[in-house]
Amino acid sequence: MRSRLFALVGSGLLLAAAVLVPASPAAAAPTFKVPFPCGQSWSGQTRTNHSPANAVDFNRTDDQGDPVVASAPGTVDVVADLGGTSYGKYVRINHGGGYTTYYAHLNSFNTAVGRTVGYGTVIGYVGTTGGSTGPHLHYEQRSGGSAVQVRFNGTLALYWGTRTYTSDNACSGSGTGAGTVNTAGTALTVRSGPGTGYASVGTVADGAGVTIYCQTTGTTVTGTYGTSNIWDRIGTGRFISDAYVLTGYDGFIPGVPRC
């Protein structure tokens, strides 16, 4: 039977057919990647008593300060520090279509509100801020503001339990890398090219986070992380020795192009 809507208007009777408007189709979810640089393997845990339950906690050995990257292209719309409670230092990325991702308990940030990010863009570093009992990344995918079960490359994460996830984020070689300078207190000299024979163009403070745009070989240097001839370009005409940079890798960073 056809639906009808009756309304009394003045002394007359208005007869109108009810029109059913079909709902708009939901936007397709982005293809989310593991939120760590290409090739890294991390232990991801889900549990029913997590808040929210659909979030994933990522860990690996000595992960304090390891780079965290965007799991899909989007725009950073929150960079916040809640202090010693809740998420602590966290970043939110808006991917469009109602989809967002959260990256919480960060040690420090490497992004800002309004910044456009792509696969593999470093947004911060693993930490233990907020309501955390040890270094790890708390990661969420949300749709319409509600936490949904996490998927990587369209495949559902393990619920409930722990699984090892290997990242293929920005493995095409078009991504950037990240690192933390470690010189035991001394500022690290920045050179105009990949070697100690190039002119000094400034310094980077011990403990500073850096974005690595490409890597190349140059003068061999012995530093905090052994002996290496790899140099990291951290800006136009700005190079630092990889021997003093914690990147999470021994040697070249997968996914970062060669200069």
Side-chain angles (χ1 to χ4, degrees), residues 163-223:
R163 172 183 289 168
T164 297
Y165 298 88
T166 299
S167 175
D168 67 348
N169 198 328
C171 286
S172 63
S174 60
T176 59
T180 303
V181 172
N182 183 356
T183 57
T186 304
L188 180 62
T189 300
V190 180
R191 301 286 180 177
S192 62
T196 54
Y198 287 86
S200 170
V201 291
T203 60
V204 178
D206 181 31
V210 292
T211 298
I212 300 169
Y213 297 97
C214 64
Q215 295 180 298
T216 189
T217 55
T219 304
T220 298
V221 174
T222 299

Side-chain angles (χ1 to χ4, degrees), residues 1-27:
M1 179 181 294
R2 189 170 53 184
S3 300
R4 296 180 182 275
L5 175 67
F6 294 88
L8 190 63
V9 180
S11 58
L13 190 66
L14 176 65
L15 179 64
V19 178
L20 299 178
V21 180
S24 299

